[in-house]
Amino acid sequence: MTGCLGLASSLLPLPPLYLTRALGPQVAACPQQRLHRQEGPAPSPPWVTGRMGDMANSSIEFHPKPQQQREGPHAGGFGCTLAELRSLMELRGAEALQKVQEAYGDVSGLCRRLKTSPTEGLADNANDLEKRRQIYGQNFIPPKQPKTFLQLVWEALQDVTLIILEVAAIVSLGLSFYAPPGEESEACGNVSAGAEDEGEAEAGWIEGAAILLSVTCVVLVTAFNDWSKERQFRGLQSRIEQEQRFSVIRDGQLLQVPVAALVVGDIAQVKYGDLLPADGVLIQGNDLKVDESSLTGESDHVRKAADRDPMLLSGTHVMEGSGRMVVTAVGVNSQTGIIFTLLGAGGEEEEKKDKKGKQQDGAMESSQTKAKKQDGAVAMEMQPLKSAEGGEMEEREKKKGSVPKKEKSVLQGKLTKLAVQIGKAGLVMSAITVIILVLYFVIETFVVDGRVWLAECTPVYVQYFVKFFIIGVTVLVVAVPEGLPLAVTISLAYSVKKMMRDNNLVRHLDACETMGNATAICSDKTGTLTTNRMTVVQSYLGDTHHKEVPAPSTLSPKILDLLVHAISINSAYTTKILPPEKEGALPRQVGNKTECALLGFILDLKRDFQPVREQIPEEKLYKVYTFNSVRKSMSTVIRMPDGGFRLFSKGASEILLKKCTNTLNGDGELRGFRPRDRDDMVKKIIEPMACDGLRTICIAYRDFPATQEPDWDNESEVVGDLTCIAVVGIEDPVRPEVPEAIRKCQRAGITVRMVTGDNINTARAIAAKCGIIHPGEDFLCLEGKEFNRRIRNEKGEIEQERLDKVWPKLRVLARSSPTDKHTLVKGIIDSSTGEQRQVVAVTGDGTNDGPALKKADVGFAMGIAGTDVAKEASDIILTDDNFTSIVKAVMWGRNVYDSISKFLQFQLTVNVVAVIVAFTGACITQDSPLKAVQMLWVNLIMDTFASLALATEPPTESLLLRKPYGRDKPLISRTMMKNILGHAVYQLTVIFTLLFVGELFFDIDSGRNAPLHSPPSEHYTIIFNTFVMMQLFNEINARKIHGERNVFHGIFSNPIFCTIVLGTFAIQIVIVQFGGKPFSCSPLSTEQWLWCLFVGVGELVWGQVIATIPTSQLKCLKEAGHGPGKDEMTDEELAEGEEEIDHAERELRRGQILWFRGLNRIQTQMEVVSTFKRSASFQGAVRRRSSVLSQLHDVTNLSTPTHVILSAANPTSAAGNPGGESIP
């Protein structure tokens, strides 16, 4: 309730219209529903009655109700109206129980009204299901409309550099049409003489028009990229949604249906690890505990029981136990849906007030996903996308309020820093260029020639200043690498698409880049390294150790009977062994694999578990202690015919044997079991089994007399004094491809550690089989207890120094709890020992792995065995649960990193050359040898095309032969810096030679010092053409960044690259030969073309020369693009709850850098890249900077905290906290 109260109170000041608006989109989306008008007097809204608890009832007036309801109170043949069910779901605990009893008698009465059976479920009848959808709605919340192409075009136009160019072009255009009266007079000097001679004055408009045209091109390309990117992400999102399924019972069969197909009246099976997709009332539950923090902000798990608190709400997590519920509200009518609808309405309102209210897109987006109940975190993944395209600072500021994020991804941090450095340099250069040009002109005209500024000459002079300004802007345009974010996005999007084929479903884009830097992988054992097809291969029954499955005749009937009952009853009834799908295949294992192994053991003993379960159905189980990571055992109590009770228990052998005081001998008679016998058993039976890599499970029972019922809540008392029936050894064979995959990881410099809940001997045996540990190496295998003893001080606190002594050698952590896993991961990430900081990947499948998955740099969840909670905390989902897919992810990650480095090497060479040429050219000849339009074309090749060409290089196995880069490695290595400067020297030499002596060499007119509007000269065309040719060949050089000699290696495996290089060449020919005045080009002869090509090919030869120079000799070279320094990192760590703003962003914040807002594409793609990362890390969901919040509007204040409440998987998120202050 807290959530709704908090929401309601923050809604107080809003007029009733606000809520009615809330339904706008819904009603439109559901034509068969319309707003229910109540006959009679209108009810007073909740803020009039003042009863906040009635929020639900009042909001009913504003929600769609089926038309049929006007025909009669219970139209459609069901005994409950939508309104009744909604008001029922508003209640909690005893209140809810009382309401159910008053209105329906009990839960089965509710089921009867909804025409469903608590045991058989609904009939799988399409008409009935459709009718339920008509009346009660479907389990889906309509998404917000994506941006149209025109909106994206408009946003691309917001780029400051483009705006400056547009203004300059328009001024230039305006001036070219204005013919000043005094133009003929000599008074203005030789300003326009040259142009007049050529009769070209009328063509003055062409340059302005050409700039506008190229701006249009850039805008369309950007908008198209954004549009296709958004489409891709939506596709990815819907794919994740479709994979989300839930267990329901229909026609007595357990089915997995897509979450969107759930209807009111469905009987759903809920179990440990589920994220509930709809609201419901519990029919029967075993030890069920739910985390409702996402709705209420209460961090304690809530116990649910049919006789205590039967209300289960959508969006909450099942943390323990299992049960069955009847679905009572879906989609927009569920608790989560109602709040999302209000949020969506908030968005509508706010957009009218101010166009920057884009968080709501996220709210609606995520509401759709939430309703479909796919992982809450993915629900967020679309959110910042909306605003990403705009890339305005305020928007980012605003969003910072509502979207917590992990520490910046490694690459992002380096790129932001680099972009700031380059941008600053570009800004300085362009400013100096303009100042020098203006000064030179003014001094020459008014001081040297001694002219006077005449009024009629003003337009002519202004035209000059505009030209200088355009040159300055051009320098800036070329200096700023807007292609960088494009390259990152293309590279990531391309990789993500391809990784799908390699069974990696990437949920947060930059996870795939981070994966390339991984230095450590902490992997689960079961299902990841092993096949997760368990079988019992050894057993200890009736004092005998059987190395294979014993014949039933050799066992005492009493032991056999007890064993069959203990296994059949004390396991989840959803776990079954089904006949194989194809002949000759293995039987299908459904449910928990360990339990499947035990059920398989019963079948091997020629018995069957189904009759036992039919005799004692799940409803008759008296009490169930479900398995969890603390207990490491599961127990079930049944009532015996004589009125007594029998408890069956199974669990990890060393834990359960400590609770046994008796065992069964060969005849099935009780025999005392003393601690000494237990030690014997551990030595002779359990350790040998474990050393064979088997997992040992003990099965035991205990009888309670009918005279006195024990206190079932005192678990330690109840599950004690047991009698051991059997100990079984379960084998889970190592996946055949795993040892090779681990060898690849080790060769690539990645340490693989195994973290498992298994016995240490089993873990060690499996680790040796996988190749994680090798005999003769110096490694540690520890149990959880020993690990904790070594890393904690006397006070029991974890000390980083102690941890640093343990983790470098640790290879196997056995019998570990989820906390141990989290401690280990955090310890490795925070550690600063060794040459570089560690980047850690973690795999997990259980709900309890959530914290470790979230803390890791990259979290992998299992697609098949993983629970919803694990998937929500993860960055990548392994759709085949296989360790080899992780190796593929490493390969793709390194490829992304290398692609971006290749692009950088190419881009920066161009930038350095273009800026220096434009700058010196302008200073010496008062005119840039490369014109604005040419610069924009060069920029297009450099940015858009090159990023496409270099970012789509496919990965090769050779990527796994080098060590990972780690966090601190600079983006531009010394080899790359050598290449950049080396090629820049070559290109500058060629261009300046051409600029100053080119006219003599080619015997043509000099293009230097040409007057305004003079026709394009061959001289400058040759310079432009040579420049582009050199870039084209340098693009081939850029394919290798580690100093390899063969730059053509594998070039044909990338058709995109070949197409782009040839395509660019073809367009260049067209521009030069037919570009004319707009491109300032004059057609060249064949001989001149051949010279240009010859100089271009020289790039490849020069590349070989550079490769010969050993990098180690060039001590003077600096690396660039370091990650944020260690001191910054520690600051970030300290401010964990606060917004982490690294040095680069802090500088941007000061607004010193005008152009950065113009770099909309950098922000766009960076945001996109970070979107995926941020969305998962809800750790600091509510601890936000109040300073940021204080800048937000009131309505934002409403939307921000509630948004977080809904999605936060974190207990500390508080709902009734409209201000969003931090909660300790």
Side-chain angles (χ1 to χ4, degrees), residues 572-843:
Y573 277 34
T574 47
T575 304
K576 304 186 186 66
I577 302 245
L578 300 177
E581 283 172 331
K582 296 192 205 70
E583 261 188 62
L586 294 165
R588 280 181 299 150
Q589 297 188 338
V590 181
N592 181 303
K593 296 295 191 264
T594 311
E595 290 179 351
C596 286
L598 295 170
L599 295 175
F601 185 49
I602 294 182
L603 298 175
D604 292 342
L605 290 169
K606 310 287 182 283
R607 292 300 196 86
D608 193 3
F609 55 87
Q610 209 49 49
V612 179
R613 288 182 171 182
E614 280 160 12
Q615 182 193 339
I616 305 177
E618 205 168 358
E619 300 79 66
K620 287 196 182 165
L621 300 180
Y622 195 79
K623 170 84 183 151
V624 179
Y625 301 98
T626 49
F627 179 88
N628 68 25
S629 55
V630 180
R631 286 190 189 118
K632 293 214 188 294
S633 68
M634 171 181 178
S635 310
T636 305
V637 181
I638 55 171
R639 196 163 211 148
M640 302 299 280
D642 64 359
F645 299 94
R646 174 169 286 174
L647 169 130
F648 291 117
S649 195
K650 68 164 191 286
S653 51
E654 53 262 56
I655 291 171
L656 219 53
L657 282 176
K658 284 181 185 156
K659 298 179 179 176
C660 289
T661 50
N662 294 297
T663 177
L664 298 176
N665 64 15
D667 303 327
E669 302 301 325
L670 287 187
R671 174 168 73 72
F673 187 65
R674 299 184 302 279
R676 197 174 67 237
D677 302 331
R678 186 174 68 238
D679 296 342
D680 269 4
M681 189 160 173
V682 168
K683 276 201 189 69
K684 292 182 181 155
I685 311 294
I686 291 171
E687 283 184 0
M689 280 188 188
C691 292
D692 291 341
L694 304 184
R695 184 179 194 170
T696 55
I697 301 279
C698 173
I699 299 162
Y701 79 105
R702 176 182 180 181
D703 284 330
F704 295 96
T707 47
Q708 183 191 355
E709 185 171 341
D711 170 11
W712 298 116
D713 286 337
N714 185 356
E715 191 188 328
S716 54
E717 194 61 40
V718 174
V719 186
D721 202 7
L722 303 174
T723 302
C724 170
I725 307 171
V727 172
V728 294
I730 298 178
E731 181 183 48
D732 185 6
V734 171
R735 288 177 180 264
E737 63 277 21
V738 161
E740 175 56 23
I742 287 181
R743 217 174 12 262
K744 279 184 188 167
C745 277
Q746 288 164 342
R747 202 171 54 224
I750 301 169
T751 310
V752 182
R753 294 182 175 82
M754 183 162 97
V755 183
T756 174
D758 257 353
N759 170 316
I760 183 126
N761 295 323
T762 313
R764 195 184 278 126
I766 300 275
K769 282 183 191 168
C770 294
I772 292 176
I773 55 179
H774 302 286
E777 275 186 357
D778 182 16
F779 58 80
L780 280 176
C781 294
L782 297 179
E783 282 200 341
K785 275 184 189 161
E786 172 63 13
F787 172 68
N788 275 305
R789 193 184 62 69
R790 290 194 183 197
I791 62 168
R792 290 175 191 273
N793 59 19
E794 299 71 41
K795 294 181 192 161
E797 294 159 349
I798 298 168
E799 285 188 359
Q800 187 66 43
E801 301 82 66
R802 292 176 180 235
L803 236 169
D804 288 345
K805 288 179 188 148
V806 175
W807 72 257
K809 289 184 181 176
L810 184 69
R811 292 293 175 273
V812 176
L813 184 57
R815 283 278 173 252
S816 65
S817 68
T819 335
D820 296 340
K821 192 171 187 174
H822 180 258
T823 307
L824 176 65
V825 172
K826 185 174 184 307
I828 298 179
I829 290 177
D830 294 348
S831 169
S832 47
T833 54
E835 307 93 69
Q836 54 179 15
R837 294 188 59 214
Q838 299 280 312
V839 177
V840 184
V842 168
T843 69

Side-chain angles (χ1 to χ4, degrees), residues 508-577:
H508 304 128
L509 253 193
D510 59 349
C512 77
E513 158 258 311
T514 313
M515 202 50 220
N517 290 315
T519 54
I521 298 175
C522 296
S523 171
D524 266 3
K525 175 179 77 71
T526 312
T528 316
L529 300 173
T530 58
T531 56
N532 204 9
R533 187 177 174 88
M534 311 253 194
T535 40
V536 172
V537 288
Q538 294 187 23
S539 54
Y540 177 79
L541 286 156
D543 284 347
T544 322
H545 184 178
H546 302 273
K547 289 288 173 99
E548 59 240 4
V549 177
S553 53
T554 60
L555 299 174
S556 138
K558 183 181 175 188
I559 292 182
L560 197 54
D561 189 55
L562 267 171
L563 185 67
V564 170
H565 276 77
I567 292 175
S568 309
I569 294 167
N570 185 30
S571 55
Y573 277 34
T574 47
T575 304
K576 304 186 186 66
I577 302 245

Side-chain angles (χ1 to χ4, degrees), residues 168-210:
I170 290 165
V171 171
S172 167
L173 268 177
L175 289 171
S176 68
F177 289 125
Y178 172 71
E183 199 165 51
E184 287 75 39
S185 75
E186 273 297 298
C188 304
N190 62 350
V191 169
S192 49
E196 286 310 306
D197 298 348
E198 302 296 332
E200 284 272 354
E202 311 83 68
W205 61 273
I206 292 182
E207 186 170 31

